[in-house]
Amino acid sequence: MTIYKVLRRKEFISFLASARTRGSTADERDGFIHLSTASQLPGTLDKHFSGDIDLSILSFESRDLGHDLRWEHSRNGGLFPHYFGVLEAELIRSWYPVRRVSGRHVLPAGLN
C-alpha cells in the first residue's frame, strides 16, 4: 500500500540534504511521523497545511517501512499510518509538488 508524507519546502530540502528525517516539528513533538493514505490527504492538507504554499507530497510503500509503521486511530476515528522511526530518503518512491488554486490545495493527478 502506498502512503504519503506532506512536507513544507524547508523540511523537504532538509530531508533530501541529510537523506533522513524525523519529520516536522509536530512529528518530533508527537514522537512519530504523521503519514496519510491517498484518501486521507485532502483532510490532512486542509487541517494541517491550509495556509501553506510550496508543499511536497512524498510517497512510500508501507511494506518498506517495516515494524516501525503502526496504524492508529486519529482524526474522526480513522486509522492513520504513523511511523516510529527515522525515514530514509532511499525509501521515497516518488514525490509530487502541491499546487494551490483559488486558495485551495490541488492534489496531483492520480492522488485525488
Side-chain angles (χ1 to χ4, degrees):
M1 170 182 224
T2 303
I3 54 177
Y4 303 91
K5 176 63 183 162
V6 179
L7 291 174
R8 293 170 181 91
R9 179 176 176 74
K10 181 179 175 183
E11 296 163 342
F12 182 51
I13 290 170
S14 176
F15 184 11
L16 294 181
S18 66
R20 55 194 332 223
T21 187
R22 293 188 182 279
S24 67
T25 303
D27 295 330
E28 289 184 14
R29 177 195 67 225
D30 293 342
F32 58 86
I33 298 174
H34 295 266
L35 302 166
S36 298
T37 64
S39 65
Q40 294 166 337
L41 277 173
T44 296
L45 288 167
D46 287 346
K47 181 172 180 158
H48 300 289
F49 299 93
S50 62
D52 290 301
I53 58 172
D54 214 2
L55 299 171
S56 294
I57 297 175
L58 287 66
S59 73
F60 299 89
E61 195 56 46
S62 60
R63 70 176 171 267
D64 293 342
L65 300 180
H67 67 278
D68 287 331
L69 178 67
R70 300 181 199 153
W71 293 83
E72 300 182 320
H73 289 281
S74 189
R75 186 172 61 236
N76 299 324
L79 288 175
F80 279 74
H82 294 156
Y83 187 68
F84 290 81
V86 177
L87 275 176
E88 302 290 337
E90 66 187 25
L91 297 176
I92 299 170
R93 294 294 182 154
S94 56
W95 76 273
Y96 311 88
V98 179
R99 295 183 308 115
R100 283 180 67 96
V101 176
S102 300
R104 304 265 314 153
H105 293 106
V106 177
L107 290 173
L111 293 183
N112 46 4

